[in-house]
Amino acid sequence: MAETMTAGQAATRARILGAAADLFYERGVHAVGVNEIAARASASKLSLYRYFPSKELLVQAMLTEYSDRIHAWLDRETASAPPGPERVLSVFDLLIDWFARPGYHGCAVVNTVTDTRASGEVAAIARRHLVRYRALLEDRLDGLGLADPAAVARQLLLLIEGASVVTAIDGTPAAGQDARDAARRLLARA
């Protein structure tokens, strides 16, 4: 559908996705209705349903777009880090900064999969998100001569996601630095 949209239609669709992403992140999927999303996007309910025939499809589109955006950002911002452990730790440095931003409420993927009770396609999107995260970490581990980089990437991901959850609950970004310190020790032993 995106290829046949006019610029105005694409802008309306993007506004709806942006409004949904903001509202879902602030309050959760089940606490937000389509009328509120349409109003926040300055779009009609008819327009919302034209681009997203159901709230479930809107949630899926929002989560896919979010995952794509986060992974592009992580890849872009850490790709030029110097090889070695610092390249891996650059991912943590980026996340520590993100965790400290006002309004950080945790990972939108984790929040959404929890809020929807891991419904079918949402769970599949979340699994793809984690696979992409591990792939990024494995890429950043390249050149370290690890016997099992996939296992180390999984362990690093646990540190990242754990820090994200703890940050969202505690309301302080200290867990990000704790995760980075643990990652540094893990890399030194690996």
Side-chain angles (χ1 to χ4, degrees):
M1 178 191 338
E3 295 81 38
T4 62
M5 280 193 254
T6 67
Q9 291 169 326
T12 299
R13 184 181 186 281
R15 278 197 325 275
I16 292 167
L17 260 180
D22 291 346
L23 289 166
F24 293 155
Y25 190 67
E26 290 167 12
R27 299 203 331 263
V29 170
H30 292 297
V32 176
V34 293
N35 288 333
E36 186 176 2
I37 295 166
R40 171 84 64 101
S42 299
S44 69
K45 194 171 167 182
L46 179 64
S47 290
L48 186 148
Y49 282 120
R50 179 180 306 126
Y51 302 113
F52 308 100
S54 68
K55 184 178 177 184
E56 183 178 329
L57 291 173
L58 175 59
V59 169
Q60 292 169 19
M62 177 277 305
L63 204 55
T64 298
E65 190 277 335
Y66 170 86
S67 180
D68 290 346
R69 188 169 28 88
I70 291 301
H71 286 291
W73 172 66
L74 288 167
D75 186 50
R76 181 181 61 250
E77 296 297 320
T78 63
S80 62
E86 289 306 314
R87 189 161 191 234
V88 177
L89 296 175
S90 71
V91 175
F92 286 84
D93 293 337
L94 195 59
L95 294 171
I96 288 168
D97 179 60
W98 185 25
F99 295 171
R101 291 180 189 166
Y104 181 79
H105 301 298
C107 173
V109 173
V110 172
N111 295 349
T112 303
V113 82
T114 302
D115 195 27
T116 62
R117 305 290 191 259
S119 73
E121 185 57 26
V122 167
I125 294 165
R127 280 190 297 276
R128 286 190 300 270
H129 180 74
L130 294 180
V131 165
R132 291 168 71 187
Y133 230 134
R134 285 190 302 269
L136 172 80
L137 291 166
E138 283 186 55
D139 179 74
R140 299 307 179 252
L141 289 164
D142 191 41
L144 293 179
L146 301 175
D148 191 355
V152 175
R154 283 191 307 275
Q155 293 166 352
L156 293 169
L157 181 58
L158 289 171
L159 291 171
I160 289 168
E161 291 298 341
S164 174
V165 170
V166 171
T167 298
I169 293 169
D170 281 354
T172 173
Q177 185 62 51
D178 293 340
R180 186 191 193 282
D181 294 343
R184 185 182 39 75
R185 288 190 299 276
L186 173 70
L187 292 171
R189 285 192 298 257

